Amino acid sequence: MSTLDTRPPALLGTSGQIFLAITLGVAVLVPALNLLLPPDSPFYIPTYVVSLLGKYLTYALLALSVDLIWGYVGILSLGHGAFFALGGYAMGMYLMRQIGTRGVYGDPVLPDFMVFLNWKELPWFWWGFDMFPYAALMVLFAPGVLALVFGWFAFRSRVTGVYLSIITQAMTFALLLAFFRNDMGFGGNNGLTDFKDILGFNIQSDGTRATLFALSALALAGGYVLCRFLVRSHFGKVLVAIRDAETRVRFTGYRAENYKLVAFVVSAMLAGIAGALYVPQVGIINPSEFSPANSIEIIVWVAVGGRGTLVGAALGAVLVNYAKTYFTSGLLAPYWLFMLGGLFVAVTLFLPKGIVGTFYEWREKRRPPPDEAAPPLAAPTAAE
């Protein structure tokens, strides 16, 4: 017979530890190869590659936030790009306020697009964005409040399934149309760009780019630990139960809408952080980030990597975006969207659990049963 293992399950597990080790390793290695090696070294990483990899890491954090609610709660959000964009706009507004007299029109207060549109004074919702702590607070507050208000009405009305997916897509499309308007005060179609400094450091310098990359890696690691802690806790067990049988959970006395709301708000804030780290590395934020197609693409990342695995979501985001960078710069560029759609169909048919989910399933099948894994007991000796 085998003894019962009463130890609590590990927070991270083997795959989680490997993921964190790789993430923290690249947070140190990539900036070091960029800053410490000469450009003629075969191991030197150019600054533009550092920024590109940093963008991939922000996408990985965004995919992680979607997997938290889709993989563990069953909420298929087709509008999560809205929270990503709001975090990006909050950071972009701070960066615009840092330009000051170095803008094209030299106005110490108004951004260039406001001067061009004959705005006479700074709108009230731009107040405070000249201070980084306030902007950092807005990175969390703006997407968090939107998710709180939207989720409160949707979950208490018990909107689920495809209907919830449709209204999340309608939400981000409405924001897309609103931010395209010049009179909204967010730069209209052109958005926010031409950034100069962040916390007093030149945003174009190699050191700043390397630091932003390291911060993106640390944010991804921190987001993974937070999500892993949530899904391994009692709170996470209730979330999974809601995903599998929400009606039964309600009958047992749990307020399912409250659990879903908390997870949705946390997910939106993680997406906002990803957007805030994305903007200074890319150098622009415009209304196209609200596009419903962008939100659908996030779902593809998670599905390819493995829904409900966390690690798979981050991996899928990096792999798909690397493929996008590679295939959209050559002869296959006009066909990228067809390739992306074909990839999603292929994964759905042949790898329904994604890359990492399929690997987990294969590993479990190869693992011996508990009785076989337990060491055999010594045969009793005959009494003398």
Side-chain angles (χ1 to χ4, degrees):
M1 56 180 297
S2 61
T3 59
L4 181 63
D5 188 359
T6 58
R7 293 175 299 177
L11 172 61
L12 298 178
T14 303
S15 60
Q17 293 174 2
I18 295 174
F19 175 78
L20 279 185
I22 294 175
T23 304
L24 297 177
V26 299
V28 176
L29 183 61
V30 171
L33 295 178
N34 172 252
L35 299 175
L36 302 180
L37 296 182
D40 57 352
S41 171
F43 300 103
Y44 173 74
I45 298 181
T47 301
Y48 81 91
V49 175
V50 174
S51 297
L52 181 63
L53 295 176
K55 182 178 74 171
Y56 292 165
L57 292 180
T58 62
Y59 285 155
L61 179 57
L62 175 59
L64 202 70
S65 71
V66 171
D67 194 29
L68 175 64
I69 58 171
W70 186 33
Y72 293 91
V73 198
I75 301 173
L76 177 58
S77 172
L78 297 182
H80 235 63
F83 307 123
F84 178 81
L86 286 176
Y89 265 96
M91 178 56 68
M93 292 165 74
Y94 163 77
L95 296 174
M96 291 296 291
R97 292 298 308 273
Q98 302 307 300
I99 297 176
T101 56
R102 291 172 293 176
V104 175
Y105 298 100
D107 193 290
V109 178
L110 296 180
D112 283 339
F113 73 88
M114 291 187 183
V115 178
F116 178 78
L117 295 173
N118 294 319
W119 290 56
K120 302 305 180 184
E121 59 183 12
L122 195 70
W124 63 268
F125 48 85
W126 278 76
W127 297 349
F129 277 98
D130 55 332
M131 300 178 290
F132 183 80
Y134 178 81
L137 178 63
M138 288 298 105
V139 166
L140 298 174
F141 183 79
V145 168
L146 176 61
L148 180 66
V149 174
F150 176 89
W152 192 88
F153 284 104
F155 300 143
R156 289 184 179 274
S157 301
R158 301 190 181 182
V159 180
T160 59
V162 65
Y163 303 104
L164 181 62
S165 300
I166 290 173
I167 62 175
T168 57
Q169 193 170 62
M171 173 192 68
T172 190
F173 187 68
L175 289 171
L176 168 70
L177 297 179
F179 275 71
F180 260 118
R181 295 172 57 92
N182 287 326
D183 56 2
M184 281 289 291
F186 295 107
N189 182 47
N190 296 322
L192 310 178
T193 189
D194 195 29
F195 309 132
K196 309 293 185 185
D197 296 334
I198 180 169
L199 289 173
F201 297 96
N202 182 4
I203 203 169
Q204 301 296 335
S205 69
D206 293 350
T208 304
R209 294 286 180 172
T211 301
L212 288 170
F213 172 87
L215 290 175
S216 300
L218 292 176
L220 175 59
Y224 173 77
V225 172
L226 174 61
C227 292
R228 182 76 178 182
F229 171 77
L230 289 176
V231 301
R232 300 294 287 183
S233 64
H234 174 74
F235 176 81
K237 303 302 181 186
V238 177
L239 293 182
V240 173
I242 292 173
R243 178 197 67 188
D244 296 338
E246 183 173 344
T247 302
R248 292 185 181 182
V249 172
R250 293 182 185 278
F251 284 159
T252 58
Y254 287 97
R255 298 292 297 272
E257 61 273 14
N258 293 343
Y259 283 85
K260 294 167 70 174
L261 183 61
V262 171
F264 195 65
V265 171
V266 171
S267 173
M269 288 183 173
L270 288 175
I273 295 173
L277 290 167
Y278 167 87
V279 168
Q281 296 182 88
V282 175
I284 188 172
I285 179 71
N286 59 39
S288 65
E289 297 298 337
F290 288 102
S291 171
N294 288 3
S295 297
I296 295 174
E297 193 170 331
I298 303 170
I299 301 301
V300 178
W301 304 345
V302 178
V304 169
R307 172 191 172 195
T309 62
L310 295 181
V311 172
L315 178 64
V318 173
L319 291 179
V320 174
N321 280 284
Y322 173 77
K324 182 178 182 179
T325 302
Y326 182 81
F327 289 111
T328 56
S329 58
L331 296 176
L332 296 176
Y335 309 103
W336 163 246
L337 291 179
F338 296 100
M339 295 170 62
L340 183 64
L343 175 64
F344 183 66
V345 172
V347 168
T348 303
L349 293 177
F350 303 109
L351 291 175
K353 296 184 178 181
I355 297 173
V356 175
T358 302
F359 171 76
Y360 286 167
E361 185 180 41
W362 172 81
R363 186 180 62 181
E364 288 298 322
K365 288 181 179 179
R366 289 181 59 88
R367 182 173 297 173
D371 291 337
E372 296 181 15
L377 297 177
T381 59
E384 296 182 358

